[in-house]
Amino acid sequence: MYLIPSHEMLKKAQRCGYAVPAFNVHNLETVQVVVETAAAMSSPVILAGTPGTFTYAGIDYLVAICQSAARQHRLPFALHLDHHEALPDIERKVEAGVRSVMIDGSHLPFEENVATVSRVAQLCHRYGISVEAELGQLVGQEDDLTVDEKHGAFTDPDAAAEFAKRTGIDSLAVAIGSAHGLYKGEPKLDFPRLEQIRRRVDIPLVLHGASGLPEKMVREAIGLGVCKVNVATELKIAFADAVKGYFKENPEANDPRHYMAPGKVAMRKVVEEKISICGSAGKL
Ligand code: 13P
């Protein structure tokens, strides 16, 4: 079994009214947990890696781990480049086997964003590779990228329609009050804005920053057309808290096969919960 592009998965989700969860993975343990849980729940799933993750794990290592996971479960999964910005970097990872790409030009002025994304979309579509891009800008921290409140921007529905049409992307990440990392205070999503975007844009919409969003909000966003839900921070917290707890009780521990185990159990619960919120169980 191979790593597949994500656009068919997302189109099916759009037709059937659920979302595909995308989990950020960093190492063998996160890939194992996400893929094993998705396989057990028969859920489509996207494994996402930021530039920092690929630098940490190594491109070939990460691709090989994800391919092995897909082979082992005899199921198709997508490995997706999350928040990538440079064409040569994307090309290198596509050559290594990645079939789903986010080109993030959301920090650029509109015309530059259109030009950058169009270039990547042209290249990727030659090989049947899926392309996601973002318009508007989420606040918070993702990888090495931090955006403060001053620089965050909501997605404009009319600009979104023009952006999708001119770039030819397969999915659009929207900024509707969503934030990377944990929310400061109570999260507030601009659902009327999401509705307006949905009315003008017919490709699948992506909700970044799902960690810390109440279940009801994520379900409402899916009801209004979100087909991909990105989760990173909640997995990290679950893993880190469980491993810290293990060391507290076993200060002499030194065997990673032992101290990683409770971290994996804790992450599994998060993955199960998000799959069930997305409504993607049984949709493989
Ligand atoms: P969180 O870390 O807030 O879950 O966001 C993940 C994300 O959007 C990855 O692109």
Side-chain angles (χ1 to χ4, degrees), residues 38-220:
M41 296 175 80
S42 264
S43 172
V45 80
I46 294 171
L47 307 164
T50 57
T53 291
F54 279 93
T55 302
Y56 164 75
I59 300 172
D60 288 336
Y61 274 126
L62 197 60
V63 170
I65 290 171
C66 295
Q67 278 169 339
S68 303
R71 204 164 40 239
Q72 187 156 330
H73 292 278
R74 303 194 137 274
L75 291 171
F77 293 105
L79 171 59
H80 175 75
L81 302 184
D82 194 27
H83 293 286
H84 276 60
E85 293 181 23
L87 185 57
D89 185 29
I90 291 172
E91 279 178 309
R92 219 172 25 247
K93 289 164 185 168
V94 161
E95 273 166 25
V98 170
R99 291 290 170 265
S100 183
V101 166
M102 177 195 191
I103 164 71
D104 185 0
S106 60
H107 52 289
L108 300 171
F110 184 78
E111 287 299 329
E112 272 181 60
N113 193 358
V114 168
T116 306
V117 170
S118 302
R119 255 196 316 276
V120 171
Q122 269 166 24
L123 172 92
C124 288
H125 287 161
R126 249 191 268 155
Y127 304 105
I129 292 163
S130 321
V131 180
E132 170 187 334
E134 179 171 319
L135 192 66
Q137 211 177 8
L138 264 68
V139 297
Q141 174 152 17
E142 178 64 48
D143 213 18
D144 300 331
L145 186 78
T146 306
V147 180
D148 58 29
E149 307 279 339
K150 225 175 42 234
H151 292 96
F154 284 54
T155 306
D156 175 78
D158 289 326
E162 184 184 340
F163 186 72
K165 194 161 165 233
R166 285 177 61 193
T167 55
I169 48 172
D170 302 293
S171 58
L172 176 72
V174 293
I176 52 166
S178 27
H180 285 126
L182 289 184
Y183 285 77
K184 288 192 190 115
E186 220 180 289
K188 286 194 193 76
L189 296 189
D190 186 345
F191 289 118
R193 179 181 296 270
L194 179 59
E195 234 178 318
Q196 285 182 29
I197 298 169
R198 168 77 301 156
R199 265 194 236 126
R200 289 169 175 74
V201 176
D202 60 1
I203 54 174
L205 302 178
V206 180
L207 180 68
H208 281 245
S211 290
L213 280 181
E215 175 174 341
K216 196 168 158 286
M217 280 191 174
V218 179
R219 286 189 194 273
E220 190 167 346

